Each structure stands twice: as structure tokens, then as C-alpha cells.
Amino acid sequence: MVAAHFHAPSQELVNAFRTDPATGLPLFDTYNATAMKDSIDFWTNGVDPRLDHTIGVPTHPFKYDPTFIAKKSWQRVPEVYGQYTPMKEIAHYKCPCFKKVGPFFGSSTTGPYCDTMMYC
């Protein structure tokens, strides 16, 4: 699987999910003081649980599937685009909306699982 790096989450967005370990409240002023890059960082810092709903983090389950673990290698060039993947715009491979046509992957554009994009 290769992530869409057009909307790749930034390190700053990942850091924004840090919380105060004692209160669980967001760290509005100091969230970016520590970069959560390694898997241990997600255990040693307070983290909002919505992180895994928004961002695919290497070593974390992808789309809540404990058998499908996100990997850094999913990014085409992790050194350029970072190691994180967007969660909200990528379909799980077990979803009926997921389509594979040759080397291409995507979600269905017809039927009940239709992607809709509006232009203003």
C-alpha cells in the first residue's frame, strides 16, 4: 500500500495530538516542544486517542484493524513526505469500496460507497 502524499500529515499535526499526561487536556502552547517520531514517543507522552482516527502512524493498527499495521514504507519517499499517512481519505483494503485496477488502488466512485468532491 502506498499512501497519498498529497495530503500527508505533517509532524506538527502529529505533535498537536499531544496531551498533558495528568489532565488529558491538549498542550496548546507546548505541543510542538517534543516531536513524536518513534513508536516509544507515543507511549511516553500523553496522546489524544483521536490521533489514530486521523493519522496512520507506523506501528499502529490501520483503520482499527489489529492485523493490519501501518508501516513507514507506505510513503513513497518518507524522507521527503514523512512517515505518516492520512486515515480519512484512504479506504481499508477489506472495505467493499476499495478497488484495485492493475497497479492502481482507490475507492469506488459509483454505488453506495461513492466518493463525492464538490467544487466551489
Side-chain angles (χ1 to χ4, degrees):
M1 174 177 222
V2 176
H5 39 262
F6 298 111
H7 301 120
S10 67
Q11 183 64 55
E12 186 171 350
L13 178 61
V14 173
N15 295 344
F17 282 89
R18 287 184 59 231
T19 60
D20 183 299
T23 65
L25 296 174
L27 299 173
F28 292 116
D29 298 323
T30 60
Y31 72 92
N32 217 20
T34 301
M36 297 192 306
K37 292 184 177 183
D38 298 317
S39 59
I40 191 70
D41 295 333
F42 295 91
W43 290 97
T44 58
N45 290 284
V47 179
D48 187 319
R50 293 175 289 184
L51 171 76
D52 286 326
H53 183 71
T54 307
I55 300 168
V57 178
T59 72
H60 291 211
F62 185 77
K63 297 278 186 176
Y64 308 107
D65 181 349
T67 64
F68 194 49
I69 306 300
K71 298 177 183 174
K72 183 178 179 179
S73 63
W74 288 357
Q75 284 291 5
R76 187 178 301 175
V77 184
E79 298 77 22
V80 175
Y81 301 109
Q83 62 181 346
Y84 307 109
T85 58
M87 288 288 266
K88 295 183 178 181
E89 51 193 31
I90 298 177
H92 189 288
Y93 76 97
K94 292 180 182 175
C95 177
C97 65
F98 183 79
K99 303 293 179 200
K100 182 176 183 319
V101 179
F104 303 103
F105 298 90
S107 56
S108 170
T109 56
T110 60
Y113 303 102
C114 163
D115 288 341
T116 306
M117 184 174 277
M118 300 183 74
Y119 297 96
C120 297

